[in-house]
């Protein structure tokens, strides 16, 4: 396959682009490097620096590939701003970058691109769930502007599928974590700037880069009062993307519109994550409690039964300690010289 990977200079897109290359596919990464890193681009993968909102730039990529007789087979769309907390301060930036700019990409796809797209959606589209584990047909009511910016894209995709036959898979990731163990060991991992995700922040404390970890709220209706989340290893997530592309390819998938949750099906509280990191790193990792943040649901745990059943997806990293072990190897490589 030949695949355009938007946001491939980032954590997840780069991991998937690397997996595509390892499996003998051709990937082209398109990223504005606003949050991605040139030094983390997977080796041997073509890179074009560009802005998602620049419809012409994306169309040119599709047109040039057609002229060379090797058109794209699909698009994996990762490019987005991802910080839910930030989205509650500057929602307009998220609607511009994640929603409006995605429309430019979709227009370019309709004009000259392949009719196959995999979209990085998020558990944040559900908001405060009515039932756990969350299934794909659960109520969609985001509690933060980030989730809404992604849900609006899902709505656009639904209409483009209905009217133009755009085949797409919307993959609703839960909390992605860990580092991929490739043929050369662990060479990449989570590197958000600024970092807002719990596991790298906890590992920062273990490395002495932070004094303590902040727990936002210990008065949630959960057994230890802290928020519960579902952590999925980035390599398991990457596998699901290849399976989704295959599912969209089949003749039976004509006009396909696929929606899958991707999680571990197990929830871990913030305190349990800190405990796991203490076991893995051997560091005491001091924690301090702060007030709740606006827009944080108490519990988000996925049912991934549909992806397991319909895509044949088999997540390998089911233990939190294992996920944190891979993240810890990467974190030390990144910061300890
Ligand atoms: N990390 C998670 O736990 C998680 C959970 C749910 C969903 N997601 C989704 O997965 C996708 C990838 O997340 P990530 O953790 O790899 O984030 P990331 O910040 O590491 O990667 C995103 C990439 O998109 C690029 N980008 C952003 N806006 C762009 C634009 N307008 N034009 C071109 N490039 C642009 C950034 O430079 C960056 O390289 C995002 O769509 C995110 O919403 C992530």
């Amino acid at each position: 396959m030949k695949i355009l990977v938007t946001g491939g200079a980032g954590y997840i897109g780069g991991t998937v682009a690397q997996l595509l290359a390892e499996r003998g596919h051709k990937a082209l990464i398109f990223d504005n490097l606003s949050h991605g890193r040139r030094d983390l681009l997977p080796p041997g993968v073509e890179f074009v620096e560009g802005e998602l909102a620049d419809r012409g730039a994306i169309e040119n990529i599709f047109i040039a590939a057609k002229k060379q007789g090797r058109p794209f087979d699909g698009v994996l769309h990762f490019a987005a701003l991802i910080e839910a907390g930030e989205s509650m301060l500057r929602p307009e930036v998220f609607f511009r970058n994640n929603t409006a700019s995605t429309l430019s990409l979709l227009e370019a796809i309709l004009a000259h691109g392949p009719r196959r797209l995999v979209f990085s959606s998020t558990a944040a589209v559900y908001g405060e769930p009515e039932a756990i584990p969350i299934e794909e047909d659960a109520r969609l009511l985001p509690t933060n502007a980030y989730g809404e910016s992604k849900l609006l894209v899902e709505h656009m995709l639904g209409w483009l599928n209905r009217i133009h036959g755009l085949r797409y898979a919307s993959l609703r990731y839960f909390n992605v974590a860990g580092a991929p163990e490739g043929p050369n060991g662990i060479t990449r991992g989570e590197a958000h700037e600024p970092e807002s995700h719990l596991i790298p922040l906890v590992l920062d404390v273990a490395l002495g880069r932070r004094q303590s970890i902040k727990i936002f709220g210990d008065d949630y209706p959960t057994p230890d009062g802290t928020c519960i989340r579902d952590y999925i290893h980035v390599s398991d997530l990457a596998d699901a993307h290849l399976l989704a592309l295959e599912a969209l390819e089949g003749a039976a998938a004509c006009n396909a519109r696929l929606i899958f949750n991707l999680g571990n099906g197990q929830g871990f509280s913030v305190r349990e994550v800190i405990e796991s990191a203490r076991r893995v790193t051997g560091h005491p990792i001091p924690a301090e409690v702060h007030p709740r943040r606006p827009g944080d649901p108490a519990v988000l745990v996925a049912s991934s039964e549909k992806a397991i059943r319909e895509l044949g997806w088999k997540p390998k990293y089911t233990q939190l300690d294992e996920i944190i072990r891979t993240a810890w190897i990467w974190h030390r490589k990144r910061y300890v010289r």
Side-chain angles (χ1 to χ4, degrees), residues 198-209:
L198 179 62
I199 290 175
L201 290 177
V202 169
L203 296 180
D204 266 357
V205 182
L207 270 191
R209 299 185 70 247

Side-chain angles (χ1 to χ4, degrees), residues 6-8 10-12 30-36 50-53 77-102 119-125 144-151 153 173 192-197:
T6 76
Y11 169 46
I12 303 171
F30 184 85
D31 196 301
N32 66 3
L33 296 179
S34 61
H35 288 72
E51 164 57 49
L52 199 59
H77 177 32
F78 298 95
L81 298 176
I82 67 162
E83 285 168 60
E86 171 78 6
S87 80
M88 296 303 278
L89 300 172
R90 300 195 304 151
E92 63 283 3
V93 175
F94 283 70
F95 292 124
R96 169 66 57 195
N97 193 76
N98 294 0
T99 314
S101 298
T102 293
F119 172 58
S120 300
S121 190
T122 165
V125 297
N144 54 52
Y146 162 69
E148 187 71 48
S149 75
K150 293 280 182 170
L151 182 56
V153 173
Y173 317 157
H192 297 121
E193 286 292 345
E195 189 52 79
S196 61
H197 289 165

Side-chain angles (χ1 to χ4, degrees), residues 54-276:
D54 187 348
R55 172 178 168 177
I58 298 172
E59 283 187 6
N60 286 342
I61 291 173
F62 291 143
I63 293 168
K66 275 187 194 163
K67 276 195 186 142
Q68 288 159 6
R70 189 73 216 279
F72 282 87
D73 299 300
V75 176
L76 296 177
H77 177 32
F78 298 95
L81 298 176
I82 67 162
E83 285 168 60
E86 171 78 6
S87 80
M88 296 303 278
L89 300 172
R90 300 195 304 151
E92 63 283 3
V93 175
F94 283 70
F95 292 124
R96 169 66 57 195
N97 193 76
N98 294 0
T99 314
S101 298
T102 293
L103 183 56
S104 302
L105 168 72
L106 296 176
E107 286 170 332
I109 290 173
L110 291 177
H112 295 287
R115 285 287 190 275
R116 197 155 41 126
L117 172 87
V118 178
F119 172 58
S120 300
S121 190
T122 165
V125 297
Y126 294 112
E128 193 74 60
E130 292 175 306
I132 296 290
I134 304 170
E135 298 194 347
E136 286 81 353
D137 57 3
R139 183 187 65 177
L140 300 170
L141 199 58
T143 52
N144 54 52
Y146 162 69
E148 187 71 48
S149 75
K150 293 280 182 170
L151 182 56
L152 288 168
V153 173
E154 289 207 20
H155 287 318
M156 293 195 297
L157 288 172
W159 287 104
L160 298 194
N161 169 263
R162 209 163 125 182
I163 295 167
H164 296 303
L166 177 75
R167 286 183 268 157
Y168 77 92
S170 190
L171 304 182
R172 296 178 181 155
Y173 317 157
F174 283 59
N175 287 45
V176 187
E181 299 182 280
N184 302 318
I186 290 181
T187 55
R188 59 182 310 112
E190 204 163 356
H192 297 121
E193 286 292 345
E195 189 52 79
S196 61
H197 289 165
L198 179 62
I199 290 175
L201 290 177
V202 169
L203 296 180
D204 266 357
V205 182
L207 270 191
R209 299 185 70 247
R210 279 168 210 271
Q211 293 297 311
S212 61
I213 184 73
K214 289 181 182 164
I215 297 176
F216 293 103
D218 66 350
D219 55 351
Y220 284 95
T222 61
D224 68 17
T226 65
C227 284
I228 292 180
R229 294 288 180 271
D230 179 330
Y231 294 89
I232 169 176
H233 192 276
V234 69
S235 293
D236 286 332
L237 189 78
D239 284 342
H241 285 73
L242 269 68
L243 292 169
L245 279 170
E246 281 167 23
L248 289 174
E249 191 185 7
C254 242
N255 283 345
R257 175 181 168 272
L258 308 173
I259 297 180
F260 293 107
N261 286 340
L262 294 174
N264 222 331
Q266 271 178 289
F268 295 96
S269 72
V270 173
R271 285 200 194 282
E272 285 173 325
V273 171
I274 297 169
E275 276 307 323
S276 170

Side-chain angles (χ1 to χ4, degrees), residues 264 266 268 276 316-325:
N264 222 331
Q266 271 178 289
F268 295 96
S276 170
K316 297 179 196 79
Y317 293 84
T318 52
Q319 304 298 318
L320 184 60
D321 284 14
E322 269 298 285
I323 294 175
I324 293 186
R325 178 187 64 78

